[in-house]
């Protein structure tokens, strides 16, 4: 046997071990859980299943830690280069050793230098406690991963696909990503496991209740997109990335226009009665290219809809009140949801479309105690500092600070346009008349006379806030027929595409939190 | 959970189901009036209504029980 065949054999044997991942019994476990092996995930993700891998031999000398439990790869998704880190849960439950962490840091550095999106395919039990001195506190320890994520935020898109646990400190990887796609039943995020909660605080709780995918996508808001299985999660990540440029300096791609879906016209969808609910999804359907809607945080705070879509092929971020849920009133969670979405779109040059049908921010002790003012401030701050093209459409009403949150005239939208049915005011006619004439109303004894008085004052009020009056005062920029809204939006977004805004000279604003 | 809680503070405007009714997930069971809007409250799951805990005109807070299921 020659030296060369010996060497070839050694290489082949090593590679075979690395590609096989962990012990077969852990592969069996994956199958039972409906999970895919890390390399199968990567094949599904990358165009033609092809990718280039770095530090494949990490910890090869240990013998039983192939790739040290993480694959770091570069390849194409939808024709564009992306970097990926992907945990291998068949290797010590995907836990992080020193080399695991170093590999993750290196792929972050690569993504930064290449200026391309970075995807985190997470399925990890957290730190290897036995290795902690080598991977936890040091300069290039796990903390550096999060530090890098924060530094890269807004520079390149960062996407998290959560296939399994993301535990303790590791739970911050999804927290610092732009979007977190979670697989129902398998994905979880928590700082302390149910076992730890039982030991430390005495709470008995299931993993699903504590940090399951559905909980995070509906209650905590830590998850953005709930996938039924891994394939769906990977497809969602691809669909999401399709809206984004590779980095902040580039512009998102404009595709061929697609007509709207068929259905009732916008005029038919919007009820005449200001107080009656309607389904904003149906209205959105009449404005966007059919099949282009990618909703973010669909299950969380559904009184505000946030999603990416295309209008005549051009990407837009839609922020729309949903009158069908909680009357479209803004709450603590909806304010947070809107703030993050606006910041995401603004970071990557995706123009914003606000569809306002909002009675205002919620009032009452419950929300005041929850800090609705500071949460509302986050939304208004994010909207206000966004410099991408912004169009505000007053669909039916925008009352009080709701007008502000939905990019009202004072917030320098490129246009604030109204449908003919729109009302803009500090408050609606009913509330306003009660507020202004409360003493007078009480003083009228005859019930009939009282009702008549209220009706008259409401009419008067309606005239004062008549949308044509606001147009005449140049408060709003245009009144548009519902049938023409889509073409109006398409024309305006095309015009505003060259918009440039100078930033005030400062380090950064003090953000409300 | 065998009860439906209000997601929002408001005054009960209409009650659309009675004890003993079978409801399906997504069905409107009460309508609240809040922030000058009619707010339909939908059943999160289907089932037979055991007890309706609210009446027209009641003020209910977020988290208050509207009805229980059998």
């Amino acid at each position: 046997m020659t030296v060369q065949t010996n060497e070839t054999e050694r290489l082949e044997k090593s590679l075979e071990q690395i590609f096989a991942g962990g012990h077969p019994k852990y592969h069996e476990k994956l199958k039972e859980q409906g999970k895919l092996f890390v390399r199968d995930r990567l094949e599904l993700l990358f165009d033609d299943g092809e990718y280039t891998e770095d530090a494949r031999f990490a910890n090869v000398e240990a013998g039983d830690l192939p790739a040290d439990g993480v694959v770091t790869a570069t390849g194409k998704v939808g024709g564009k280069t992306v970097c990926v880190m992907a945990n291998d849960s068949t290797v010590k439950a995907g836990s992080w050793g020193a080399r695991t962490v170093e590999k993750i840091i290196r792929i972050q550095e690569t993504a930064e230098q290449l200026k391309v999106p970075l995807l985190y395919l997470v399925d990890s039990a957290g730190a290897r406690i036995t290795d902690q001195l080598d991977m936890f506190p040091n300069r290039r320890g796990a903390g550096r991963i999060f530090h890098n994520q924060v530094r890269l935020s807004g520079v390149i898109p960062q996407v998290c696909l959560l296939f399994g646990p993301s535990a303790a400190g590791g739970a911050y990887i999804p927290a610092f990503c732009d979007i977190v796609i979670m697989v129902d039943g398998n994905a979880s995020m928590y700082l302390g496991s149910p076992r730890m909660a039982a030991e430390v605080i005495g709470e008995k709780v299931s993993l699903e209740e504590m940090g399951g995918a559905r909980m995070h996508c509906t209650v905590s808001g830590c998850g953005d997109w709930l996938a039924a299985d891994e394939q769906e999660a990977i497809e969602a990540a691809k669909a999401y990335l399709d809206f984004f440029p590779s980095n902040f300096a580039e512009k998102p791609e404009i595709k061929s226009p697609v007509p709207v879906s068929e259905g009732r016209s916008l005029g038919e969808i919007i009820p005449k009665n200001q107080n009656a609910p309607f389904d904003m999804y149906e209205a959105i359907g009449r404005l966007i290219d059919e099949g282009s809607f990618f909703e973010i945080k669909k299950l969380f705070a559904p009184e505000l809809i946030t999603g990416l879509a295309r209008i005549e092929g051009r990407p837009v971020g839609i922020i729309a009140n949903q009158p069908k849920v909680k009357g479209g009133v803004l709450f603590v969670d909806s304010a947070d949801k809107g703030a993050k979405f606006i910041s995401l779109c603004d970071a990557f040059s995706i123009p914003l479309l606000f569809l306002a049908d909002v009675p205002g921010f919620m009032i009452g002790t419950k929300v005041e105690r929850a800090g609705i003012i500071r949460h509302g401030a986050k939304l208004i701050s994010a909207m206000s500092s966004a410099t991408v093209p912004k169009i505000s459409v007053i669909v039916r009403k925008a009352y009080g600070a709701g007008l502000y949150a939905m990019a009202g005239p004072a917030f320098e939208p490129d246009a604030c346009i109204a449908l003919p049915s729109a009302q803009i005011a500090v408050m609606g006619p009913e509330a306003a008349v009660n507020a202004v004439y409360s003493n007078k109303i009480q003083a009228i004894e005859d019930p009939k006379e009282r009702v008549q008085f209220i009706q008259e004052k409401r009419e008067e009020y309606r005239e004062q806030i008549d949308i044509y009056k606001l147009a005449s005062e140049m408060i709003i920029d245009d009144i548009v027929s519902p049938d023409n809204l889509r073409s109006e939006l398409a024309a305006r977004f095309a015009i505003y595409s060259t918009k440039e805004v100078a930033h005030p000279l400062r380090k950064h604003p003090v953000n409300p939190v | 959970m065998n009860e439906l809680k209000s997601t929002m503070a408001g005054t009960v405007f209409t009650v659309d189901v009675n004890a003993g009714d079978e409801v399906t997930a997504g069905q409107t069971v009460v309508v609240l009036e809040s922030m000058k809007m009619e707010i339909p409250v939908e059943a999160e799951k289907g089932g037979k209504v055991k007890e309706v805990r609210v009446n027209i005109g009641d003020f209910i807070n977020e988290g208050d029980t509207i009805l229980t299921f059998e």
Side-chain angles (χ1 to χ4, degrees):
Chain A
M1 199 181 275
T2 64
V3 174
Q4 198 179 348
T5 31
N6 253 335
E7 283 176 351
T8 311
E9 265 178 29
R10 187 179 175 193
L11 177 61
E12 280 173 358
K13 208 171 159 215
S14 276
L15 284 174
E16 198 180 306
Q17 277 175 354
I18 291 164
F19 286 132
H23 194 279
K25 69 180 174 190
Y26 297 119
H27 286 267
E28 279 306 310
K29 202 177 155 201
L30 282 187
K31 272 192 200 133
E32 281 165 26
Q33 293 173 311
K35 285 159 89 169
L36 296 171
F37 177 47
V38 62
R39 294 191 182 273
D40 297 331
R41 288 172 181 160
L42 293 176
E43 274 190 29
L44 280 177
L45 175 69
F46 286 116
D47 297 353
D48 306 320
E50 285 172 12
Y51 57 94
T52 306
E53 194 178 341
D54 285 318
R56 182 182 278 159
F57 290 88
N59 229 351
V60 70
E61 298 205 311
D64 61 343
L65 295 167
D68 211 29
V70 68
V71 179
T72 51
T74 306
K76 299 218 181 233
V77 172
K80 288 187 284 193
T81 302
V82 304
C83 289
V84 175
M85 82 105 231
N87 298 124
D88 180 355
S89 64
T90 67
V91 177
K92 281 215 171 181
S95 63
W96 295 0
R99 291 166 194 82
T100 324
V101 170
E102 178 62 25
K103 281 178 78 171
I104 299 173
I105 292 171
R106 286 190 192 178
I107 197 73
Q108 289 180 312
E109 291 166 348
T110 304
E112 181 178 16
Q113 284 162 1
L114 301 181
K115 299 187 181 65
V116 297
L118 178 54
L119 281 72
Y120 301 83
L121 275 56
V122 176
D123 188 358
S124 163
R128 272 176 221 155
I129 304 199
T130 46
D131 296 6
Q132 64 164 305
L133 212 59
D134 296 323
M135 55 67 65
F136 167 64
N138 36 339
R139 290 192 177 192
R140 286 178 75 89
R144 178 59 65 88
I145 297 173
F146 311 128
H147 178 66
N148 283 344
Q149 278 192 283
V150 174
R151 269 187 346 102
L152 291 174
S153 175
V155 179
I156 52 168
Q158 294 186 91
V159 176
C160 177
L161 288 93
L162 203 49
F163 294 124
S166 177
Y172 285 104
I173 282 195
F176 293 122
C177 280
D178 305 340
I179 180 173
V180 182
I181 298 165
M182 299 181 83
V183 178
D184 200 5
N186 279 339
S188 61
M189 284 165 75
Y190 47 86
L191 292 186
S193 65
R195 194 176 66 193
M196 199 164 160
E199 283 167 15
V200 179
I201 60 172
E203 186 186 22
K204 289 201 173 62
V205 62
S206 72
L207 180 61
E208 193 57 35
E209 281 174 273
M210 174 77 94
R214 187 164 288 275
M215 188 287 280
H216 280 303
C217 290
T218 54
V219 181
S220 78
C222 291
D224 296 285
W225 214 94
L226 187 66
D229 54 34
E230 297 199 3
Q231 283 84 353
E232 198 181 288
I234 290 168
E235 288 312 309
K238 290 182 189 177
Y240 171 86
L241 278 175
D242 204 31
F243 281 97
F244 286 82
S246 291
N247 59 65
F248 80 100
E250 293 177 10
K251 289 271 169 107
E253 195 186 335
I254 299 168
K255 307 237 168 181
S256 311
V258 175
V260 291
S261 61
E262 283 184 22
R264 296 197 295 162
S265 74
L266 209 51
E268 288 168 318
I269 295 165
I270 303 163
K272 294 272 176 295
N273 176 4
Q274 280 282 353
N275 304 344
F278 73 93
D279 189 356
M280 188 59 91
Y281 285 117
E282 201 185 351
I284 291 172
R286 286 307 91 70
L287 296 175
I288 64 171
D289 296 8
E290 184 170 14
S292 70
F293 198 47
F294 185 92
E295 192 170 1
I296 292 178
K297 284 189 167 61
K298 180 180 185 173
L299 303 172
F300 179 74
E303 64 276 12
L304 187 74
I305 298 168
T306 55
L308 302 160
R310 292 180 186 277
I311 295 179
E312 302 259 337
R314 193 179 291 276
V316 292
I318 296 176
I319 301 100
N321 309 112
Q322 168 61 296
K324 203 174 148 230
V325 180
K326 297 181 176 183
V329 175
L330 291 163
F331 282 73
V332 168
D333 282 345
S334 24
D336 283 1
K337 175 179 175 176
K340 168 121 186 221
F341 181 74
I342 290 167
S343 156
L344 169 71
C345 292
D346 188 49
F348 296 108
S349 306
I350 297 175
L352 294 168
L353 170 61
F354 294 83
L355 298 173
D357 192 314
V358 58
F361 281 90
M362 187 60 189
I363 60 162
T365 50
K366 196 96 184 179
V367 292
E368 296 292 359
R369 291 171 70 92
I372 186 123
I373 298 170
R374 73 186 167 83
H375 288 280
K378 284 188 252 182
L379 172 56
I380 293 171
S381 164
M383 174 277 302
S384 194
S385 32
T387 55
V388 286
K390 293 189 276 195
I391 298 179
S392 177
V393 176
I394 314 300
V395 175
R396 202 168 49 154
K397 62 180 169 299
Y399 295 154
L403 174 69
Y404 295 168
M406 297 304 282
F411 294 86
E412 297 188 272
D414 296 277
C416 179
I417 56 188
L419 296 185
S421 52
Q423 284 187 358
I424 295 176
V426 170
M427 55 181 97
E430 298 85 351
V433 169
N434 289 345
V436 178
Y437 298 104
S438 131
N439 291 341
K440 245 187 181 165
I441 291 169
Q442 294 301 325
I444 304 173
E445 283 176 13
D446 179 34
K448 236 182 173 178
E449 211 178 297
R450 192 189 294 160
V451 171
Q452 202 191 338
F453 177 80
I454 293 173
Q455 291 295 3
E456 274 170 22
K457 290 297 167 195
R458 282 183 187 174
E459 253 340 288
E460 243 173 60
Y461 186 83
R462 280 200 187 94
E463 279 164 27
Q464 284 169 26
I465 62 166
D466 182 45
I467 201 69
Y468 288 87
K469 196 176 165 107
L470 271 80
S472 169
E473 297 294 337
M474 301 189 300
I475 294 166
I476 55 163
D477 297 295
D478 205 358
I479 303 175
V480 177
S481 138
D483 293 337
N484 295 338
L485 185 57
R486 174 175 152 96
S487 54
E488 176 82 18
L489 292 174
R492 285 184 183 269
F493 277 127
I495 290 165
Y496 304 145
S497 64
T498 54
K499 180 186 179 186
E500 269 184 47
V501 176
H503 295 273
L505 188 62
R506 65 179 168 194
K507 192 170 169 196
H508 60 70
V510 180
N511 287 314
V513 289
Chain B
M1 268 193 287
N2 241 353
E3 49 188 28
L4 176 68
K5 289 176 188 259
S6 177
T7 52
M8 184 170 183
T11 306
V12 178
F13 187 60
T14 66
V15 177
D16 301 355
V17 292
N18 296 303
D21 287 359
E22 285 285 347
V23 298
T24 53
Q27 186 182 332
T28 299
V29 292
V30 301
V31 177
L32 298 179
E33 195 187 13
S34 180
M35 304 292 286
K36 300 290 161 192
M37 294 291 295
E38 292 165 27
I39 318 277
V41 179
E42 296 171 353
E44 288 160 359
K45 53 162 200 168
K48 194 171 181 183
V49 178
K50 188 177 176 190
E51 186 193 356
V52 180
R53 298 247 181 107
V54 297
N55 294 303
I56 290 171
D58 288 356
F59 170 77
I60 57 171
N61 215 331
E62 185 186 329
D64 287 356
T65 301
I66 291 173
L67 55 81
T68 57
F69 291 103
E70 296 216 335

